[in-house]
Amino acid sequence: MKEIIAIIRMQNVNETKRALVDIGVYGMTAIKVMGRGKMAVDFSVLNGNGEEIHGLIEDTLAGGGRFIPKRLFNFMVPDDQVKQV
């Protein structure tokens, strides 16, 4: 068994869950997290996801960087399914 940890953008959560179910992965844990990466973020896409995120997006760095809402997924999968996941 292997543990896989993935941080997913909010707009990709449903697509990711469907893809995992399609390959037979049903057990997962999801946690709301805040994060940022190197890429620019189109906040209009985030606003369209139906969740109230205005209060969640906050300025965190002196340079004006923002944390954005994401989901952290944990999966426990058999060794032979790791590459597929």
Side-chain angles (χ1 to χ4, degrees):
M1 293 292 278
K2 300 283 185 194
E3 178 183 24
I4 297 175
I5 300 170
I7 298 174
I8 308 293
R9 292 181 182 180
M10 295 294 290
Q11 68 264 26
N12 296 331
V13 168
N14 288 333
E15 180 183 349
T16 301
K17 289 190 301 186
R18 270 191 296 269
L20 289 164
V21 168
D22 287 347
I23 62 170
V25 176
Y26 298 98
M28 62 188 80
T29 302
I31 302 167
K32 291 181 180 181
V33 296
M34 301 289 285
R36 64 182 291 249
K38 295 179 183 178
M39 294 178 58
V41 176
D42 180 0
F43 287 97
S44 66
V45 172
L46 295 173
N47 289 334
N49 72 3
E51 289 196 25
E52 183 61 42
I53 65 166
H54 296 289
L56 296 175
I57 299 174
E58 53 192 357
D59 290 334
T60 56
L61 303 174
R66 293 176 149 186
F67 280 9
I68 60 170
K70 298 182 178 203
R71 288 286 187 269
L72 184 141
F73 282 97
N74 286 27
F75 316 96
M76 295 299 291
V77 298
D79 292 341
D80 61 341
Q81 242 184 340
V82 170
K83 286 188 179 187
Q84 192 176 18
V85 170

